[in-house]
Amino acid sequence: MSDIDRIRAEVCALHAELLRWGLVTWTSGNVSARVPGEELLVIKPSGVSYDDLTPETMIVTDLDGKVVAGDRSPSSDTAAHAYVYRAMPEVGGVVHTHSPYATAWAARGEAIPCAITAMGDEFGDDIPVGPFALIGDDSIGQGIVATLRGHRSPAVLMRQHGVFTIGGSARAAVKAAVMCEDVARTMHLARQLGPVERLPQPDIDRLHDRYQNVYGQPAVDENPQGVEA
Amino acid sequence: MSDIDRIRAEVCALHAELLRWGLVTWTSGNVSARVPGEELLVIKPSGVSYDDLTPETMIVTDLDGKVVAGDRSPSSDTAAHAYVYRAMPEVGGVVHTHSPYATAWAARGEAIPCAITAMGDEFGDDIPVGPFALIGDDSIGQGIVATLRGHRSPAVLMRQHGVFTIGGSARAAVKAAVMCEDVARTMHLARQLGPVERLPQPDIDRLHDRYQNVYGQPAVDENPQGVEA
Amino acid sequence: MSDIDRIRAEVCALHAELLRWGLVTWTSGNVSARVPGEELLVIKPSGVSYDDLTPETMIVTDLDGKVVAGDRSPSSDTAAHAYVYRAMPEVGGVVHTHSPYATAWAARGEAIPCAITAMGDEFGDDIPVGPFALIGDDSIGQGIVATLRGHRSPAVLMRQHGVFTIGGSARAAVKAAVMCEDVARTMHLARQLGPVERLPQPDIDRLHDRYQNVYGQPAVDENPQGVEA
Amino acid sequence: MSDIDRIRAEVCALHAELLRWGLVTWTSGNVSARVPGEELLVIKPSGVSYDDLTPETMIVTDLDGKVVAGDRSPSSDTAAHAYVYRAMPEVGGVVHTHSPYATAWAARGEAIPCAITAMGDEFGDDIPVGPFALIGDDSIGQGIVATLRGHRSPAVLMRQHGVFTIGGSARAAVKAAVMCEDVARTMHLARQLGPVERLPQPDIDRLHDRYQNVYGQPAVDENPQGVEA
């Protein structure tokens, strides 16, 4: 199996994780992966039901979003994914969702405060809010990059829109999207009945450092951000 | 397979989507489709569990709701569906649900403000509230049509009752019902912890125009409203 | 198949509906049915996982809750079920759950106001609150009967405890439990963001009368309360 | 099958219960069991997806958390589990989750008041809050033991972190985790719309005594805490 065929299969399979963890409705979210060593990405076709996705239906584009292989139009969010790959060479995967709890924080334009240990582990900080931007040019991609470059969090809440996450691999970006919704929900529920204190910064730093550098299986190379349980 | 047999199969299958996306409880929602070129519609039988639906159990009625084919009574909401088809020739499908978040807005008689991009895309405006109307005559149908005629939104929140959606096809109406519940939930969650600003009207106009006219696969003829991802 | 064997199979199968509609956790809810023409009932064994239920594991007791057939202890709620069958000869099925939204209303001791058409249809009134009662004697059964006798609602919210529903059949009682949680959720969500007005009494009366007497399939004899869709 | 092989299989299977009841996201929760008569425990490997767990992948450690058998690293929470087994010889199983409703109470540092009969039955008291503690030494284990020793509740809400539960067996600890989330949700929902009164202490005492000592199947030896339904 060629590198691109392997990535088509992986990107296809990861869409099932978005569905399984309740992050997407109808056709509203998408995953992409960079093709290592090439100026290419693999992404979901636009408007196709998750049930109908197969590795063969995945679209290959260049890093300007121009279709290189595939019979259909790529996701309407391809321009945002492509911008991120151009601007951040360390990124190997990008995910976009309108997952409900995280998008609720985005709708208010409110960052999720780092108040539970799971946030310290995975995000190392508050989950930040990015600017409002319309689809149609590079505005969304620029907003993602301006917010996440130099930030520990792999997730950004794009104002009045939804979530974008990044990772060293597509799987790591999917994990970040799943955990973003998880902590968005827990923090939503917590705040409904009273105030919640942010963790002290030194504790956040220790949690994040340990989680990124100490834990997980030594040689799980498909999951370079480290894992927990 | 005749046109009517194809539509029976499609209407039957679409009820599974209502269940899958959490829009219905027990036997509480229904889908119908117009039979193109005939004064007929196909609709769910009344009070039959979603598990027991088959294409053969679907009921065919004329546009006054009188049964033309089928062994059972049609949905108790048939009069409302039929009124919409009589009054709006462009409508090819109608869906009714009591989906929980959307019905909560309907219970308060409060329109869902167009404050996130997904609403601009799909609804092009706030999701409006229709009048309170009792079952038993054309009041519900009249309320639906009076609210949706000339409105961009394919969904109406019937006051203290539930949701009706319309579409060029039954599948498009189902998609509108699914997305209505999705944005009703996100906006509910957002509003629980603070105020949310409506998007500026020019941004809503641009989102709606682009979504309806630019995106989606060029030849996805079963989904004329356009699709996203 | 004997009458009792048929009822064992039906009661067993109905527990899967409690699980499917999210009404129960671990082993926390139970269904029973009266054996027509006999002073007997069929009920779930105590503390058995829903996965492990089979028709053969169902317990048969007399109407004082004394085991007549079955290798295990009957549900710890058997006394309450039995009391209802003794006091209300028209009841053919009883269901008990701690379904989350309905139990939240019960925890506050607050009736669910009849403010949406689905409540007018199925309950014909507010869903009432019954007294707090401890397990161990007939207090719970007495509280259920004192609240539901002469009331249109087939569901009662036992204060700081959970839900009991009754029906002409076990299936009708299960439907009432499913719809009780459904409207408890919708009314909870509605009330979170503002006040909701009760429907006018004449409208409730018309909805309830029509739903109980006009709708549904003419000869669906296993569902004597009428059905909708 | 040896004792350890049987326990590997049981611990593996119980992780599916965490997933089924919505207590875990991605790889975020874990179950362990003591090996009776040995200074050993069996626990989930770190960062492995629930889909990929098999009895063979479970890790065996001593009661200081040192790996005795298994190819992978044990759960990053192993030190906390091991501390509990060292300090509380009556404990046969430990569970850790970040289940959303319970973790929301933990994030606020607020005990769940014993206000519904299901809490009296299973927890016999409020569900208490334990101290904030960082991972990396025995702080978490000490906090669990200091809170639960002498307390009726088998669950503790570790502040700004999540839930730990204990039981006579791993299955009993899983049941406690499932019921903890269930009552955390019900009490959250109840409190959203108004105040809820704690049950009177004598009623809690009677509920707890009866549930622990009277109910359940006489010889269900895998579930020594007693069961209900």
Side-chain angles (χ1 to χ4, degrees):
Chain A
M1 189 155 59
S2 78
D3 224 32
I4 285 193
D5 285 348
R6 186 185 53 75
I7 293 170
R8 283 174 185 270
E10 183 194 2
V11 170
C12 178
L14 286 168
H15 283 89
E17 296 292 317
L18 301 187
L19 203 58
R20 171 189 199 171
W21 296 106
L23 273 52
V24 291
T25 299
W26 207 252
T27 60
S28 67
N30 39 72
V31 179
S32 71
R34 185 195 293 272
V35 181
E38 316 243 11
E39 298 286 297
L40 298 174
L41 64 88
V42 174
I43 196 164
K44 179 180 179 291
S46 179
V48 174
S49 162
Y50 296 112
D51 292 345
D52 297 334
L53 294 183
T54 61
E56 294 71 35
T57 55
M58 297 295 116
I59 309 298
V60 184
T61 78
D62 65 23
L63 295 192
D64 292 313
K66 188 161 160 265
V67 175
V68 169
D71 298 334
R72 294 162 175 269
S73 307
S75 165
S76 59
D77 299 303
T78 301
H81 291 247
Y83 187 92
V84 173
Y85 291 117
R86 291 203 304 278
M88 303 180 84
E90 72 277 21
V91 168
V94 176
V95 172
H96 173 50
T97 80
H98 299 163
S99 66
Y101 285 94
T103 303
W105 291 88
R108 288 191 308 274
E110 187 176 356
I112 308 176
C114 187
I116 49 178
T117 56
M119 288 192 70
D121 288 343
E122 179 76 28
F123 299 97
D125 200 340
D126 304 344
I127 299 180
V129 175
F132 178 74
L134 282 184
I135 200 166
D137 58 20
D138 279 340
S139 306
I140 293 176
Q142 288 168 350
I144 297 166
V145 170
T147 311
L148 294 186
R149 182 175 273 159
H151 202 291
R152 285 174 180 168
S153 170
V156 53
L157 309 173
M158 293 299 284
R159 188 181 292 262
Q160 296 185 274
H161 179 180
V163 179
F164 280 86
T165 61
I166 58 175
S169 66
R171 186 173 177 80
V174 169
K175 184 194 177 192
V178 170
M179 296 312 294
C180 178
E181 181 65 5
D182 186 66
V183 300
R185 178 176 58 176
T186 298
M187 288 301 300
H188 178 92
L189 296 172
R191 281 272 306 278
Q192 284 189 304
L193 295 181
V196 180
E197 280 175 63
R198 195 172 186 275
L199 292 171
Q201 191 63 44
D203 289 345
I204 295 174
D205 293 345
R206 287 170 61 193
L207 286 166
H208 189 252
D209 179 63
R210 184 177 177 88
Y211 190 68
Q212 301 302 322
N213 299 315
V214 178
Y215 284 102
Q217 304 301 336
V220 182
D221 64 348
E222 82 282 14
N223 200 342
Q225 288 210 340
V227 284
E228 188 203 34
Chain B
M1 191 155 59
S2 77
D3 224 34
I4 284 192
D5 284 349
R6 186 184 54 75
I7 294 170
R8 282 174 184 271
E10 183 193 2
V11 169
C12 178
L14 285 168
H15 283 89
E17 296 292 317
L18 301 188
L19 203 59
R20 171 189 198 172
W21 296 107
L23 273 52
V24 291
T25 299
W26 207 253
T27 60
S28 67
N30 40 71
V31 178
S32 71
R34 185 195 291 273
V35 182
E38 315 243 13
E39 298 286 297
L40 299 174
L41 64 87
V42 174
I43 195 164
K44 180 179 180 291
S46 181
V48 175
S49 162
Y50 296 113
D51 292 346
D52 297 333
L53 294 183
T54 60
E56 294 71 35
T57 56
M58 296 296 117
I59 310 299
V60 184
T61 79
D62 65 21
L63 295 191
D64 292 314
K66 188 162 159 267
V67 175
V68 169
D71 296 336
R72 292 163 175 268
S73 307
S75 163
S76 60
D77 299 303
T78 301
H81 291 248
Y83 187 92
V84 173
Y85 291 117
R86 290 204 304 277
M88 303 179 86
E90 72 277 22
V91 169
V94 176
V95 172
H96 173 50
T97 81
H98 300 162
S99 66
Y101 285 93
T103 302
W105 292 87
R108 289 190 309 273
E110 187 177 357
I112 308 175
C114 187
I116 48 177
T117 57
M119 289 193 70
D121 288 343
E122 179 76 25
F123 299 97
D125 202 341
D126 304 345
I127 299 179
V129 174
F132 178 73
L134 282 185
I135 201 165
D137 58 20
D138 279 340
S139 305
I140 294 176
Q142 288 167 353
I144 297 166
V145 170
T147 311
L148 293 186
R149 183 175 273 158
H151 202 291
R152 285 173 179 169
S153 170
V156 54
L157 309 173
M158 293 299 284
R159 188 183 290 263
Q160 296 185 275
H161 179 180
V163 178
F164 281 87
T165 61
I166 58 175
S169 65
R171 187 173 177 80
V174 169
K175 185 194 175 192
V178 171
M179 296 312 293
C180 178
E181 181 65 4
D182 186 67
V183 301
R185 178 176 57 177
T186 299
M187 288 300 301
H188 178 94
L189 296 172
R191 281 273 306 279
Q192 284 188 304
L193 295 181
V196 179
E197 280 175 62
R198 195 172 186 273
L199 291 171
Q201 191 62 45
D203 289 345
I204 296 174
D205 293 346
R206 287 170 61 191
L207 286 165
H208 189 252
D209 178 62
R210 185 175 175 90
Y211 190 68
Q212 301 302 322
N213 299 314
V214 178
Y215 283 102
Q217 304 299 336
V220 182
D221 63 348
E222 84 281 14
N223 200 342
Q225 288 209 340
V227 286
E228 190 203 33
Chain C
M1 189 156 59
S2 78
D3 224 32
I4 284 192
D5 284 349
R6 186 184 53 75
I7 293 170
R8 282 175 184 271
E10 183 193 2
V11 169
C12 178
L14 285 168
H15 283 89
E17 296 293 317
L18 301 187
L19 202 59
R20 170 188 199 172
W21 297 106
L23 272 53
V24 291
T25 298
W26 206 253
T27 61
S28 67
N30 39 71
V31 179
S32 71
R34 185 196 292 273
V35 182
E38 316 243 12
E39 298 287 297
L40 298 174
L41 64 87
V42 175
I43 196 165
K44 180 179 179 292
S46 180
V48 175
S49 162
Y50 296 113
D51 292 346
D52 297 334
L53 295 181
T54 60
E56 295 70 36
T57 55
M58 297 296 115
I59 310 300
V60 184
T61 79
D62 65 22
L63 295 192
D64 292 313
K66 188 163 160 265
V67 175
V68 169
D71 297 334
R72 293 164 174 268
S73 308
S75 164
S76 59
D77 299 302
T78 301
H81 291 247
Y83 187 92
V84 173
Y85 291 117
R86 291 203 303 277
M88 303 179 85
E90 72 278 22
V91 169
V94 176
V95 171
H96 173 50
T97 81
H98 300 162
S99 66
Y101 285 94
T103 302
W105 291 88
R108 288 190 307 274
E110 187 178 357
I112 308 176
C114 187
I116 49 177
T117 56
M119 289 193 69
D121 289 343
E122 180 75 27
F123 300 96
D125 202 338
D126 303 346
I127 299 179
V129 175
F132 179 73
L134 282 184
I135 202 165
D137 58 21
D138 279 340
S139 306
I140 294 177
Q142 288 167 352
I144 297 166
V145 170
T147 311
L148 293 185
R149 182 175 273 159
H151 202 290
R152 285 174 179 168
S153 170
V156 54
L157 309 173
M158 292 299 283
R159 188 183 290 262
Q160 296 186 275
H161 179 181
V163 178
F164 281 87
T165 61
I166 58 174
S169 65
R171 185 172 178 79
V174 169
K175 185 194 176 192
V178 171
M179 296 311 294
C180 178
E181 180 66 4
D182 186 66
V183 301
R185 178 176 57 176
T186 298
M187 288 301 300
H188 178 93
L189 296 173
R191 281 273 305 277
Q192 284 188 305
L193 295 182
V196 178
E197 280 175 64
R198 194 173 187 275
L199 291 172
Q201 192 62 46
D203 289 345
I204 295 174
D205 293 345
R206 287 170 62 191
L207 286 165
H208 189 253
D209 178 64
R210 185 176 175 91
Y211 190 69
Q212 302 301 324
N213 298 315
V214 177
Y215 284 101
Q217 303 300 336
V220 182
D221 64 349
E222 84 280 13
N223 200 341
Q225 287 209 340
V227 285
E228 190 205 34
Chain D
M1 191 156 59
S2 77
D3 224 32
I4 285 193
D5 284 348
R6 186 185 53 75
I7 293 170
R8 283 174 184 269
E10 182 193 3
V11 170
C12 178
L14 285 168
H15 283 89
E17 296 293 318
L18 302 188
L19 202 59
R20 171 189 199 172
W21 298 105
L23 271 53
V24 291
T25 298
W26 207 253
T27 60
S28 67
N30 39 71
V31 179
S32 71
R34 186 196 292 271
V35 182
E38 316 244 11
E39 298 287 296
L40 298 173
L41 64 88
V42 175
I43 196 164
K44 180 179 178 293
S46 180
V48 175
S49 161
Y50 296 113
D51 291 346
D52 296 335
L53 295 182
T54 60
E56 294 71 35
T57 55
M58 297 295 116
I59 310 299
V60 184
T61 79
D62 65 22
L63 295 192
D64 292 313
K66 188 161 159 267
V67 175
V68 168
D71 298 334
R72 293 163 175 269
S73 307
S75 165
S76 60
D77 299 303
T78 300
H81 291 248
Y83 187 92
V84 173
Y85 291 117
R86 290 203 305 278
M88 303 179 85
E90 73 277 22
V91 169
V94 176
V95 172
H96 174 49
T97 80
H98 299 162
S99 66
Y101 285 94
T103 302
W105 291 88
R108 287 190 309 273
E110 187 177 357
I112 308 177
C114 186
I116 50 177
T117 57
M119 288 192 70
D121 288 343
E122 179 75 28
F123 300 96
D125 202 339
D126 303 344
I127 299 179
V129 174
F132 179 73
L134 281 184
I135 200 165
D137 58 21
D138 278 339
S139 307
I140 294 177
Q142 288 168 351
I144 297 167
V145 170
T147 311
L148 294 186
R149 183 175 273 158
H151 202 291
R152 286 174 179 167
S153 170
V156 53
L157 309 173
M158 293 299 284
R159 189 183 290 263
Q160 296 185 273
H161 180 181
V163 179
F164 281 86
T165 61
I166 58 175
S169 66
R171 185 173 178 81
V174 169
K175 185 193 176 192
V178 171
M179 296 312 294
C180 178
E181 180 66 4
D182 186 65
V183 302
R185 178 176 57 176
T186 298
M187 288 301 300
H188 178 93
L189 295 173
R191 281 273 306 278
Q192 284 189 304
L193 295 181
V196 179
E197 280 175 63
R198 196 173 186 274
L199 291 172
Q201 190 63 44
D203 289 345
I204 294 174
D205 293 346
R206 288 170 61 193
L207 285 165
H208 189 253
D209 178 64
R210 184 176 177 89
Y211 190 68
Q212 301 302 324
N213 299 316
V214 178
Y215 284 102
Q217 304 300 336
V220 183
D221 64 348
E222 84 280 15
N223 200 343
Q225 287 208 340
V227 285
E228 188 203 35

